[in-house]
Each structure stands twice: as structure tokens, then as C-alpha cells.
Amino acid sequence: MNLKNITVAGSGVLGSQIAFQTAYNGFNVNVYDINDEAINKAKERFSAFKEIYKRDMNATDQQIEDAYSRIAYYTDLQEAVKEADLVIEAVPETTEIKTAFYEKLASVAPEKTIFASNSSTLLPSQFAEVTGRPEKYLHLHFANEIWRNNTAEVMGHPGTDTEVFNTIVAFSEAIGMVALPVYKEQPGYVLNSLLVPLLTAAENLLVNEVATHETIDKAWMLGTGAPKGPFAMLDIIGINTPYYLSLAKAQAGDKDAAKVAKYLKEEFLDKGKMGKQNGKGFYNYPNPAFEDKDFLK
Ligand code: NAD
């Protein structure tokens, strides 16, 4: 694997995590964002990683300082990618923004550069042509809190070069990820192809008054040995995301999804209950009921 210089485009929630994790593992990282304000926000995110990596990764001060010293910041895309072996794109999840970004990137990146998108819901074949280098384009999908939720789903489109695919699998392992190669284009990759139907089924059981959220979680936990049920998982994801997902499905005519969207809005969002992030969701935090030793009795 011959990658040394990595550019991360978009330095928000995920971009900043990808950039820091990559620098922490010894790569040179250029962080690109649209303006100084975004870069300043990114710098704040980076400074927070110091304590997080010490706590979760047993990182030393030296390792953290070394990581910071490998990161440079840019608001000029051409400068940011001048020597890039790989650009990891983590710009907002809209087709318009990503298409415009790739058009610009294609015109300034060196020929050798591989482009990888962290998109959660879009497919590589949607952007392959506009990158101008379809054989060097694929998706590399991380999970939030990448240093500990260390999955890297690698997914190409039919025209992605196999060698490029294997290079990105090796790269993701080199930055401390467990690589999950996905051999065919699949909306939701592997994890969300499993998770979304489970969560949707749980929401439908609840809004159709088949069972309470606690009963549904208990059934899943006892029946599979899983440490958490679907409603505990929804709390971690945050209620916003399942709300917007069900709203989109409702707008496409799904009646169950319309019930779920209404329920999540009225019972949670309108009451300021956002999930684990603010301590109020299907469970109250800290010390949610499903962690109680008697929950499964
Ligand atoms: P975010 O909104 O936190 O960050 C987006 C960043 O992109 C911002 O810093 C913004 O200034 C910048 N940006 C906007 N327009 C840009 C442009 N034209 N060029 C360069 N940068 C631009 O978003 P996020 O949550 O980090 O999501 C980014 C990508 O990562 C999305 O594709 C999303 O699907 C994916 N993702 C997110 C998560 C998550 O949990 N948040 C998990 C996995 C994957």
C-alpha cells in the first residue's frame, strides 16, 4: 500500500474524526473545508480529541502531539490535494453538494489520486462519472466515533479497479479499522442493510400498539443474547435520524412510516427528547432501565 498523503474534504463530525484517526496512525493529513469559519470549528473538534484518545485509546501526550503535527489546514482545494494519494470526502450528504465537489476536485487533483466517499446513503455509481476517474473511485464508510466503533465498509461500483479496492482495504486496516469489504453496490452497505429493517420493524410494532418498547427490547435481548434492544439503539442514534428517515418514507406513501414519524415528532422531538445525547429518549440516562440487573427478569 503506497498511500502517504491523505486529504480529508469536509471537516465536520465525521471528517474531523477521519482526519485525526488517520494522522494518529502516522499519515500526513490535509484537512480541506470551505472557509475559515469551518476550519476553526474543525480545530475545536481536533482539540477535543486529545482527552478522548487518552481516555479511550490510552494515547500518550507525545502520540497526540505527533498526530497534531501531521495535520495541515486548507481552504484552497487545489493546494489541499496537490500531493494527495487519497482524498476522503466527508462533505454534506446531498447529491448536489457532492456532485459539485467532485466536479471541482476532478479538475484539480493529480491523476494518481484515489477518491473515496464516506457517504452513508448514496451509491458510488451516482458519482463515478463526475469524478473523471471512475476506476479510482469508491466508498469508504466509517461509523461515528471511529476510534472505537472502528468499522470501515469498503464498497466500489462495477467500474472500480480491484487493485484500488484492495489498496483501500489495506489503508483502512492501517488506520486501525476492521475492514468490511462489500462486493456489490448495496444501499446501506452491510450494517445498515441489517439495522434499518430491524429498527423499522421495532418502530412498527410500537406504533401499531403490538407491544411496549420495553417488551420489544426484552424480546430482542433475551432471544438473541444482544446487550441492547432496538429502542436502546434508537436512543444512541438520536431520535432525529429515525424521524427524518420515516418522514421521507411517509412522503413516498408508506403509511406505517407516517405513523412512526408522527409519533416520534409528538412524543419525542416536540418535547425536547432527543435520545441519549440529552439524556431523554425511550429510556432516561444515565442508568437506563435496560441496564438494570432486573430488566430481563
Ligand atoms: P457535517 O455537517 O458535520 O460536516 C460536513 C462538513 O462539510 C462541514 O464542515 C462543512 O463545512 C463541509 N462542507 C460543506 N460544503 C462543502 C464543500 N462543498 N466542500 C467541502 N466541504 C464542505 O456532516 P457529517 O455528519 O460529518 O457527514 C459528512 C459525510 O459523512 C456525509 O456523507 C455523511 O453521510 C457521512 N457520515 C456521517 C456519519 C455521522 O454519524 N454523522 C456517519 C457515517 C458517515
Side-chain angles (χ1 to χ4, degrees):
M1 203 236 337
N2 261 337
L3 309 180
K4 268 205 227 86
N5 301 317
I6 316 298
T7 298
V8 177
S11 58
V13 175
L14 254 283
S16 60
Q17 294 181 15
I18 297 164
F20 191 78
Q21 178 74 13
T22 302
Y24 182 75
N25 283 283
F27 293 84
N28 301 324
V29 177
N30 286 353
V31 172
Y32 165 75
D33 213 307
I34 41 174
N35 53 35
D36 289 340
E37 195 190 334
I39 290 290
N40 286 337
K41 267 199 208 149
K43 286 181 179 166
E44 280 170 29
R45 294 181 201 276
F46 285 113
S47 53
F49 290 138
K50 184 171 183 166
E51 287 315 311
I52 292 171
Y53 274 64
K54 279 184 167 180
R55 183 191 69 205
D56 290 353
M57 307 297 285
N58 290 321
T60 63
D61 285 332
Q62 189 61 49
Q63 283 175 304
I64 308 265
E65 288 315 313
D66 289 349
Y68 286 139
S69 73
R70 294 187 199 103
I71 300 175
Y73 300 91
Y74 295 85
T75 52
D76 177 331
L77 186 59
Q78 183 160 15
E79 283 298 309
V81 301
K82 211 159 68 184
E83 294 178 21
D85 300 307
L86 167 65
V87 173
I88 303 175
E89 171 269 303
V91 311
E93 187 75 351
T94 78
T95 307
E96 295 71 28
I97 294 178
K98 289 201 196 284
T99 302
F101 173 76
Y102 282 119
E103 275 169 356
K104 193 163 161 212
L105 179 65
S107 71
V108 294
E111 203 186 314
K112 65 170 182 178
T113 313
I114 296 172
F115 299 169
S117 174
N118 182 46
S119 171
S120 297
T121 60
L122 305 166
L123 291 172
S125 55
Q126 290 176 254
F127 303 101
E129 286 313 315
V130 80
T131 65
R133 60 192 71 201
E135 71 293 345
K136 293 199 193 83
Y137 178 64
L138 76 177
H139 282 195
L140 171 57
H141 181 238
F142 298 97
N144 196 7
E145 306 203 338
I146 116 172
W147 59 93
R148 55 176 180 183
N149 300 331
N150 61 333
T151 56
E153 295 181 290
V154 182
M155 181 168 87
H157 60 94
T160 305
D161 191 304
T162 309
E163 208 175 302
V164 168
F165 186 93
N166 293 337
T167 298
I168 297 306
V169 168
F171 167 75
S172 62
E173 287 166 351
I175 60 164
M177 300 293 112
V178 174
L180 304 172
V182 180
Y183 294 124
K184 283 192 180 161
E185 266 202 341
Q186 166 71 25
Y189 303 83
V190 171
L191 178 59
N192 280 337
S193 295
L194 295 166
L195 190 57
V196 174
L198 170 72
L199 299 178
T200 304
E203 289 163 347
N204 289 345
L205 289 171
L206 181 69
V207 298
N208 289 320
E209 296 171 357
V210 175
T212 66
H213 74 274
E214 292 202 343
T215 300
I216 296 165
D217 275 3
K218 280 182 202 175
W220 185 254
M221 291 163 78
L222 282 169
T224 67
K228 289 185 181 67
F231 292 100
M233 295 183 211
L234 284 167
D235 277 351
I236 291 173
I237 293 164
I239 306 299
N240 254 331
T241 300
Y243 168 67
Y244 284 116
L245 271 180
S246 47
L247 190 64
K249 286 190 210 158
Q251 283 161 352
D254 181 330
K255 295 221 165 56
D256 277 333
K259 266 194 202 173
V260 172
K262 183 169 184 289
Y263 177 82
L264 292 177
K265 180 169 187 308
E266 289 175 358
E267 298 300 322
F268 290 86
L269 301 181
D270 288 351
K271 295 180 178 167
K273 295 166 78 172
M274 308 305 287
K276 190 176 175 187
Q277 55 186 274
N278 74 345
K280 292 179 207 136
F282 287 94
Y283 298 92
N284 292 319
Y285 300 82
N287 309 320
F290 66 84
E291 283 178 1
D292 193 292
K293 63 180 181 10
D294 292 330
F295 186 67
L296 294 178
K297 284 189 180 153

